Amino acid sequence: MTYSLTDAIESSITLVKSNQVPFIRGGIGIGKTSRVKKEIAEAWKKHTKAKDVKVIYFPCGVVERGDITIYALKDGELVPFVTNALPKLEKNVAYVILFDDYTKSDQSIDAPVASLVLERTLFGTDYKLNDNCCIVFTGNPLKSRAGDRELPSSLLNRIVTIDVEVKKDDFTSWKQWAFQNGVNPTVIAYLNNFWTTRFVQDKDETGSSATPRSWASVGKIFDQLTNQTFLPIVGGLIGKGTAV
């Protein structure tokens, strides 16, 4: 069963307040990352009564084990030491550790990430997450693109997976955001009539697809398009078929 992104965010807020770890899994460009950074971060700050909130962002599609840990010789053995990727935790600050696009990550980061999730420490070090830290995962389903993988078994039973599909309340939220952020009203009006068939579309042969993010890009350059440039540009953003 799939849920709206709005329901997934609300569920994730409940989970982190209960010391659980959510994994929001859904298609590319539907707004998972931005809404975690904004809505979950704000809710977590309020829950912890902290003066400030910081999102510690790991773009897992490009992060490597060395970005989380480095290895040094200690008593004749190689042991991991925390790097600047994990911050020195400050008092009165709430932290959201976001492992973004984890299904695109290299398996080499599984061990240190599992250590943080399962034990809330970085194995082999004295680095420990405090009570003001929560952890959130995002990722894509395997069908979204080549190279995605399932979560490792060490994490599967310790996190809560919520599968997301764009639904009407997500489009409503996007529409409100679009009006406030310079998306052309003509694009919004078009989608208002056809969002069920046009808002999210599969990739075409070039790899382009219609997503909330790519529609926003169309809406921000719409006034600059001409008859000659419309199809090449819009097709490159949302796919040829949708552009036509």
Side-chain angles (χ1 to χ4, degrees):
M1 180 178 290
T2 59
Y3 305 90
S4 71
L5 180 56
T6 298
D7 287 345
I9 294 294
E10 287 299 316
S11 299
S12 296
I13 290 170
T14 299
L15 287 167
V16 297
K17 288 180 179 179
S18 303
N19 300 316
Q20 300 295 318
V21 178
F23 170 37
I24 304 171
R25 183 168 63 181
I28 303 164
I30 64 173
K32 301 184 298 295
T33 302
S34 60
R35 293 187 67 174
V36 169
K37 287 182 175 180
K38 178 176 173 57
E39 296 171 47
I40 294 182
E42 289 176 355
W44 184 242
K45 176 185 175 183
K46 183 177 180 180
H47 175 71
T48 60
K49 298 181 173 62
K51 292 183 179 179
D52 194 13
V53 61
K54 294 182 179 180
V55 177
I56 310 305
Y57 176 64
F58 287 94
C60 294
V62 296
V63 74
E64 296 178 355
R65 184 171 184 155
D67 294 320
I68 301 177
T69 57
I70 57 176
Y71 287 81
L73 194 64
K74 180 180 180 181
D75 298 328
E77 295 184 357
L78 284 174
V79 294
F81 283 82
V82 67
T83 68
N84 291 332
L86 289 170
K88 181 179 180 181
L89 303 178
E90 305 172 38
K91 293 182 179 179
N92 296 318
V93 176
Y95 293 92
V96 178
I97 299 177
L98 173 55
F99 292 113
D100 190 44
D101 209 8
Y102 201 87
T103 51
K104 198 68 175 175
S105 67
D106 186 85
Q107 293 179 352
S108 65
I109 72 169
D110 286 346
V113 170
S115 177
L116 291 170
V117 172
L118 304 180
E119 306 295 337
R120 294 184 65 81
T121 62
L122 189 62
F123 178 75
T125 77
D126 58 2
Y127 190 86
K128 184 175 183 178
L129 302 181
N130 62 29
D131 291 339
N132 279 6
C133 293
C134 71
I135 297 174
V136 180
F137 286 78
T138 68
N140 307 120
L142 294 181
K143 66 180 181 180
S144 289
R145 55 185 177 184
D148 286 294
R149 65 184 178 104
E150 293 283 4
L151 290 182
S153 57
S154 58
L155 292 175
L156 279 177
N157 295 326
R158 297 298 297 270
I159 65 176
V160 180
T161 300
I162 306 172
D163 284 318
V164 171
E165 183 178 1
V166 172
K167 299 183 185 293
K168 186 175 182 179
D169 55 351
D170 297 322
F171 173 69
T172 300
S173 296
W174 179 89
K175 184 167 59 173
Q176 294 169 347
W177 172 89
F179 273 118
Q180 297 169 0
N181 287 272
V183 176
N184 188 284
T186 299
V187 175
I188 299 172
Y190 172 80
L191 288 171
N192 199 52
N193 286 317
F194 299 108
W195 78 268
T196 54
T197 57
R198 295 288 186 266
F199 195 43
V200 176
Q201 292 280 295
D202 292 335
K203 295 178 183 179
D204 66 10
E205 66 273 16
T206 69
S208 302
S209 60
T211 67
R213 182 167 58 203
S214 61
W215 275 113
S217 296
V218 171
K220 290 183 178 181
I221 65 168
F222 191 80
D223 287 337
Q224 303 172 45
L225 299 174
T226 67
N227 288 340
Q228 287 74 33
T229 63
F230 184 92
L231 284 179
I233 292 175
V234 176
L237 288 168
I238 59 176
K240 293 179 180 178
T242 309
V244 170

